[in-house]
Amino acid sequence: MSQAPHTLLLVDDHPMMRRGIRQLIELEDDLQVVAEASNGYDALLMAEQFKPDLILLDNNMPQLNGIETLKRLREAQYSGKVLMFTVSDAQEDVTDALRLQADGFLLKDMEPEQLIEQLRQALDGQLVISPALTLTLATALRPTPENNACNLTHREQQVLKMIASGMSNKKLGNKLGISEGTAKVHVKNILNKLGVSSRLEAAVWALEHDK
Amino acid sequence: MSQAPHTLLLVDDHPMMRRGIRQLIELEDDLQVVAEASNGYDALLMAEQFKPDLILLDNNMPQLNGIETLKRLREAQYSGKVLMFTVSDAQEDVTDALRLQADGFLLKDMEPEQLIEQLRQALDGQLVISPALTLTLATALRPTPENNACNLTHREQQVLKMIASGMSNKKLGNKLGISEGTAKVHVKNILNKLGVSSRLEAAVWALEHDK
DNA sequence: ACGACGCTACCTCTTTCGGGGTAGCAGGGC
DNA sequence: GCCCTGCTACCCCGAAAGAGGTAGCGTCGT
């Protein structure tokens, strides 16, 4: 390898984890850790200062998390590769990261040898994703909650609100002046549109999505 | 240092994290990593085989988590030190660990040098706790509204959490390894204690009262 | 005028919930 | 020793929920 090694920036709030990755990477001739950061703000500064070829970015950080950091990196016209590297396989995080042009999403429970290989592939321009995320990605692409959520009719939104306050079909039917059977029809349609299978899940959805 | 070094067992499901800790510890003459494990079951085997002076035990692991592993270590009459080492500062985990005679509870975001120091203190017989946990400990000891208002047992809190995530009795029963019937008993008791009349109201209560 | 959509109502059917009860078995406190 | 609590498991039974279907009746847009 006569060429200059690829430069890397490690971003993780756990010093021990940074050390583990660093030690792993330093065994490789073609990879070099040029900087570390323990939070998103430092990461932005380091990125600007060192302009690394690739940033390995933990998502779960206090203050500025990985997704936010990625967003700001892109806004700052950072042109290197960014690999998300986290323990969480939350669908939202994965899809958000990919939408923000992350160059990959790796889970921390992978084997060290795999990480090195994935880093090289990412530096080569490939999109690298942990195999364990296939299911997550598949479900994300299927029409589910967030996609159809706002397609709820006015009536259905009323009903959902009442579900989320704990009412039964009979109660909310009385309150709305409709029969229990009709209430059930609305509930059924809500469940279909939200992609859930019980009024309880619908209620959780409603409570988590602001109203 | 003419004495034999203290022997350590690292337990963490993240290979990278193990590597980081190992490399850190191997710089010290008086500390020696004699084995690693990536899950609780392996940890139990390794503990029996190598009888390390101290086990550094991650809590967040698939299959058998750290708390459960600690419990079984104590049941197996393991006499060495056990330090919980995790990212989570969940009050429940901390108090459970201490009740199970853990010799310390450290957070992963600590500085490497601190870790070494804490390991030595633990090996010396001291109880070591991350400073960041003082607030958690304080609130755990104080009879707060939430603790007494509900009177929910540990199991009931688990079940309530699952209710609040939308699970049915059958599902949460499977997840907890208990029968659907038993799950129903827990749910019934929860409803009584909370003074509500449906799992949905219980879920709303749980989501509104922070968890 | 016609179709699409939303709201209403009813039907059947299976599964799940919620409220009772009894009971064995572990652990901790007296 | 004994009792009390918590966890487990089972029983019955009525009510509610969820998944199908059909259908009348509005409104809106083409």
Side-chain angles (χ1 to χ4, degrees):
Chain A
M1 298 271 181
S2 59
Q3 296 187 352
H6 294 292
T7 54
L8 275 65
L9 165 61
L10 302 186
V11 186
D12 196 308
D13 60 327
H14 299 332
M16 248 73 68
M17 182 58 87
R18 290 202 305 273
R19 196 171 287 232
I21 303 167
R22 179 172 205 131
Q23 193 244 1
L24 182 69
I25 290 175
E26 284 179 347
L27 298 177
E28 309 297 321
D29 291 339
D30 57 332
L31 302 175
Q32 182 186 8
V33 176
V34 292
E36 295 183 10
S38 62
N39 62 67
Y41 296 108
D42 281 356
L44 295 174
L45 295 176
M46 297 293 181
E48 189 172 10
Q49 184 178 349
F50 293 96
K51 302 192 185 311
D53 298 323
L54 184 146
I55 301 178
L56 198 60
L57 186 56
D58 181 32
N59 188 35
N60 177 32
M61 293 184 294
Q63 299 152 25
L64 198 65
N65 70 26
I67 298 287
E68 271 300 315
T69 306
L70 169 58
K71 191 175 174 184
R72 300 202 186 184
L73 279 169
R74 293 310 185 198
E75 284 170 359
Q77 307 294 320
Y78 168 71
S79 59
K81 309 293 181 186
V82 179
L83 278 193
M84 301 302 295
F85 186 58
T86 177
V87 287
S88 158
D89 62 348
Q91 180 177 309
E92 196 181 306
D93 292 337
V94 181
T95 53
D96 283 355
L98 294 179
R99 260 190 274 274
L100 286 168
Q101 305 297 314
D103 298 286
F105 202 106
L106 303 178
L107 296 182
K108 279 186 177 175
D109 58 359
M110 66 190 313
E111 290 302 316
E113 295 71 26
Q114 288 177 2
L115 174 62
I116 296 296
E117 187 53 38
Q118 302 277 46
L119 288 178
R120 291 208 181 97
Q121 289 189 12
L123 284 163
D124 195 39
Q126 295 181 46
L127 177 64
V128 294
I129 306 281
S130 274
L133 291 173
T134 46
L135 179 61
T136 304
L137 290 171
T139 58
L141 288 176
R142 221 174 22 183
T144 40
E146 290 107 65
N147 298 339
N148 296 355
C150 299
N151 285 353
L152 292 183
T153 68
H154 177 63
R155 199 54 150 180
E156 286 162 354
Q157 289 181 30
Q158 280 183 305
V159 173
L160 178 56
K161 235 180 257 184
M162 295 185 177
I163 288 177
S165 70
M167 289 190 209
S168 68
N169 290 331
K170 189 176 285 182
K171 271 186 193 166
L172 69 88
N174 285 335
K175 196 137 191 171
L176 291 176
I178 62 178
S179 80
E180 179 187 356
T182 302
K184 289 175 68 172
V185 175
H186 289 308
V187 172
K188 192 188 350 178
N189 293 334
I190 291 171
L191 297 188
N192 279 332
K193 289 187 179 178
L194 293 186
V196 297
S197 57
S198 76
R199 70 200 294 102
L200 217 176
E201 293 178 73
V204 173
W205 185 96
L207 291 174
E208 282 179 350
H209 290 69
D210 76 23
K211 66 172 186 178
Chain B
M1 298 269 181
S2 59
Q3 295 186 354
H6 293 293
T7 54
L8 274 65
L9 165 62
L10 302 186
V11 186
D12 197 306
D13 59 327
H14 298 331
M16 248 74 70
M17 182 59 86
R18 290 203 304 272
R19 198 171 285 231
I21 302 168
R22 182 174 203 129
Q23 193 245 359
L24 182 69
I25 290 175
E26 285 179 347
L27 297 176
E28 308 298 321
D29 292 339
D30 57 332
L31 302 175
Q32 181 186 8
V33 176
V34 292
E36 295 184 9
S38 62
N39 63 68
Y41 296 108
D42 281 355
L44 295 174
L45 294 177
M46 296 292 180
E48 189 171 10
Q49 183 177 350
F50 294 95
K51 301 193 185 309
D53 297 325
L54 184 146
I55 300 178
L56 198 61
L57 187 57
D58 181 33
N59 188 34
N60 178 32
M61 293 184 295
Q63 301 153 23
L64 197 65
N65 70 26
I67 297 288
E68 271 299 315
T69 305
L70 168 58
K71 191 175 173 184
R72 301 203 187 184
L73 281 169
R74 293 311 186 197
E75 284 171 358
Q77 306 294 320
Y78 168 71
S79 59
K81 308 293 180 187
V82 179
L83 277 191
M84 300 303 296
F85 186 58
T86 176
V87 288
S88 159
D89 62 347
Q91 179 178 310
E92 194 181 304
D93 292 336
V94 182
T95 54
D96 283 355
L98 294 179
R99 261 190 272 275
L100 287 168
Q101 305 297 314
D103 298 286
F105 201 107
L106 303 178
L107 296 182
K108 280 186 177 175
D109 58 359
M110 65 192 312
E111 289 302 317
E113 295 70 26
Q114 287 177 3
L115 175 62
I116 295 296
E117 186 53 38
Q118 302 278 46
L119 288 178
R120 292 207 181 95
Q121 288 188 16
L123 285 164
D124 194 40
Q126 294 181 47
L127 177 65
V128 294
I129 307 282
S130 274
L133 291 174
T134 46
L135 180 60
T136 303
L137 290 171
T139 58
L141 289 177
R142 205 178 36 183
T144 61
E146 294 109 67
N147 286 342
N148 288 358
C150 41
N151 270 347
L152 293 183
T153 68
H154 177 67
R155 198 53 148 182
E156 286 162 355
Q157 290 181 30
Q158 280 184 305
V159 173
L160 178 57
K161 241 179 253 182
M162 294 184 178
I163 289 178
S165 71
M167 291 190 206
S168 68
N169 289 331
K170 189 175 288 184
K171 267 186 196 165
L172 68 88
N174 285 335
K175 196 136 189 170
L176 290 177
I178 62 179
S179 80
E180 180 186 358
T182 302
K184 289 176 67 173
V185 175
H186 290 308
V187 172
K188 190 188 352 177
N189 294 333
I190 291 171
L191 297 187
N192 278 332
K193 289 186 179 178
L194 294 186
V196 297
S197 58
S198 76
R199 71 201 291 102
L200 218 176
E201 294 178 72
V204 173
W205 185 95
L207 291 174
E208 283 178 350
H209 291 69
D210 76 23
K211 67 178 176 183

